[in-house]
Amino acid sequence: MTTQTEHASRPPEGDPEADPALVYHRGGKLAVGATVPLRDGRDLALAYTPGVADVCRAIAERPGASLDYTWRASTVAVVTDGTAVLGLGDIGPEASLPVMEGKAILFKRFGGVDAVPIALATKDVDEIVDTVVRLAPSFGGVNLEDISAPRCFEIERRLQEALDIPVFHDDQHGTAVVVLAALWNAARLGGRELGGLRAVVAGAGASGLAVARILLGAGIGDLVVCDSRGALHRGRTDLNPEKRELAAVTNRSGTTGGLEEAMRGADVFVGLSGSRVPEEYFAGMAPGAVVLALSNPDPEILPDAARRYASVVGTGRSDFPNQVNNVLAFPGIFAGALRVRASRITEGMKLAAARALADVVAGEVTADRILPDCFDERVAPAVTAAVAAAARRDGVARI
């Protein structure tokens, strides 16, 4: 008999597919497995009728007991509408499913968290919120994934207001946590503090705005965020509510020009713009600059060019040093939140995750190693413990 693993490892006879990614994905990347034995009639009577009725009655009397007697306490819904998938854009729910399956196996491999992909056939904010609220009794947390801005902001906000389980948009907050960890270690390498640095974030989408907010929370010295029309500042009248809110608390230098002006003399560049940035812009940065060019698959500047002007360079790609990879953050963040049955993920929990991640390699930092490798077995336990402790400090833990 051919197993699913064997089936997925090679194409059927006569199949013209030669792409190894297509071969790897054949049959999908997930399956359902039991956590209890089902060997005989006694096990069957416990797993299903009549024994399961006792569990149902216990939960009916105390709904919170579902976290003790079902998979809820260790299971996350990975929810998308397929509108902002990787660098592919709005490709729809069906085409997004391989990414959501991938996210689910990363949750399991790197955090011990079970995750279920849910691709929704709607782009309507009200329908998405209503659907996830109705699904929530089956899960201990919700990871929003690849939902386009600015809709993602409202969806996350409304879901967290409606639910008493963590709701986390990884494209925003996972990216922000790992960027902060990278900058803490880059600053450590140069003997500097975040409070003495001026940073520029190129890109004011979901991830750019979240990175800006976490840098502010961590005490960055000054920060300018640029969208496609230039620097966000208080005088602009074309900003959506999220950008307007950020403009009110950033850009103390009063920069009103474009990205080139914002980058002049800056200590840090974080690229989340999805487009190339001319090399001469980087030439105007301060000596010893840090460049995190995170757009995928094509970073804003290639590392070889960036190193002419920067002491530390990172990208979002695995084939260059210093990969800024969300997988370093989200599995441990959810594992920590679920461990203490947190009702939400707070800013304090995100900051704690970033600090724990940075500290994993605190004594090993070099210009080409400001973050641990995603397969470093120290990462998930450190982030999990830090997030759980922060949840207790912030008063959102329930055990």
Side-chain angles (χ1 to χ4, degrees), residues 62-227:
R62 184 172 63 89
S66 64
L67 293 165
D68 297 310
Y69 297 120
T70 73
W71 74 347
R72 282 194 70 198
S74 61
T75 306
V76 168
V78 180
V79 178
T80 190
D81 63 358
T83 54
V85 181
L86 300 178
L88 304 173
D90 185 354
I91 59 174
E94 291 86 355
S96 75
L97 197 54
V99 179
M100 302 310 115
E101 286 188 356
K103 200 78 173 188
I105 65 174
L106 296 179
F107 263 114
K108 189 65 174 180
R109 169 61 179 81
F110 295 108
V113 174
D114 292 312
V116 178
I118 298 175
L120 301 178
T122 178
K123 300 177 186 179
D124 183 85
V125 169
D126 291 336
E127 290 181 354
I128 292 171
V129 171
D130 185 62
T131 300
V132 176
V133 167
R134 292 175 187 275
L135 290 170
S138 296
F139 299 100
V142 176
N143 184 88
L144 300 175
E145 190 76 16
D146 293 348
I147 299 173
S148 62
R151 298 157 55 256
C152 59
F153 304 122
E154 181 180 358
I155 290 168
E156 182 186 38
R157 176 184 58 78
R158 287 175 56 183
L159 283 174
Q160 191 59 85
E161 289 173 354
L163 301 175
D164 64 349
I165 57 175
V167 178
F168 186 83
H169 186 208
D170 182 54
D171 300 323
Q172 293 183 62
H173 310 301
T175 301
V177 165
V178 184
V179 165
L180 176 57
L183 290 182
W184 261 328
N185 277 344
R188 176 182 281 158
L189 186 64
R192 306 177 71 180
E193 298 290 337
L194 286 189
L197 302 179
R198 186 169 79 84
V200 174
V201 175
S207 55
L209 296 181
V211 166
R213 291 188 181 106
I214 203 169
L215 292 182
L216 290 171
I220 194 77
D222 192 16
L223 175 67
V224 179
V225 180
C226 294
D227 63 11

Side-chain angles (χ1 to χ4, degrees), residues 27-42:
K29 300 191 292 285
L30 289 175
V32 174
T35 61
V36 294
L38 191 57
R39 301 158 298 194
D40 51 33
R42 180 180 180 277

